[in-house]
Amino acid sequence: MAFSAPEPLNDGHDLSQFTCGKPPLDNWLKRRAFSNHKRGFTAVMVTHDAGRVIGYYGLAPTAVVLSSMPRSIRTGQPPDPVPCLLLGQLATDINWTGRGIGSGLLKHALQRCIDAATLIGGRALIVNAVDEEAAQFWRRKMFLPSTDNPMILSRSISDIAASLSEAQVPK
């Protein structure tokens, strides 16, 4: 089956059948995503199959207290708080796992963060892990836990940009 490229959430997307197996992510999509997107709090991007959402992510601007960031990100003389981007949600419907949807959404989100930081600034990408399994996923993606909460992780935008450009260079 074919599915769409990531696109902004709109009222024509069917959210009702989405389930990723993590109730906070399912509930956010069904109850908050459209309102947050429409009001400009979160840019919500979805992938769908004939209108039925099968994966999504949400991006928003944020700022983080300097002392809570990993040392590698607070090097130099950044402002306090540090301007960052927040990948608040990322999920794939359990019926669509293993088809590259999550990886594609993550790559899309990371590239958008690089583009946004180039335009408006932003030192790092912050993620809020919904549980320990998610925290482990982000650590495998080279995100570092904050100094005061292991469920809040970050990775510098410059590090993300370098890793994406390395992935595009043929070896």
Side-chain angles (χ1 to χ4, degrees), residues 53-149:
V53 171
I54 58 175
Y56 78 97
Y57 70 84
L59 287 177
T62 193
V64 178
V65 176
L66 188 61
S67 62
S68 70
M69 302 198 78
R71 170 171 256 136
S72 63
I73 294 175
R74 54 187 157 107
T75 58
Q77 296 181 335
D80 193 0
V82 180
C84 296
L85 299 162
L86 173 67
L87 179 58
Q89 304 80 18
L90 172 69
T92 303
D93 189 287
I94 57 174
N95 296 310
W96 288 80
T97 57
R99 300 183 196 187
I101 294 167
S103 298
L105 285 170
L106 179 57
K107 185 175 179 182
H108 191 264
L110 295 177
Q111 186 59 59
R112 284 178 57 128
C113 289
I114 294 166
D115 295 345
T118 300
L119 290 171
I120 63 167
R123 176 78 173 146
L125 176 60
I126 309 300
V127 296
N128 292 318
V130 69
D131 56 24
E132 182 54 37
E133 179 185 16
Q136 289 175 14
F137 169 84
W138 291 113
R139 286 192 296 268
R140 286 192 305 272
K141 300 291 182 189
M142 308 304 290
F143 281 71
L144 303 170
S146 76
T147 59
D148 52 358
N149 185 339

Side-chain angles (χ1 to χ4, degrees), residues 107 110-111 159-171:
K107 185 175 179 182
L110 295 177
Q111 186 59 59
D159 187 38
I160 292 169
S163 68
L164 284 184
S165 65
E166 286 174 12
Q168 295 174 2
V169 175
K171 302 217 183 233

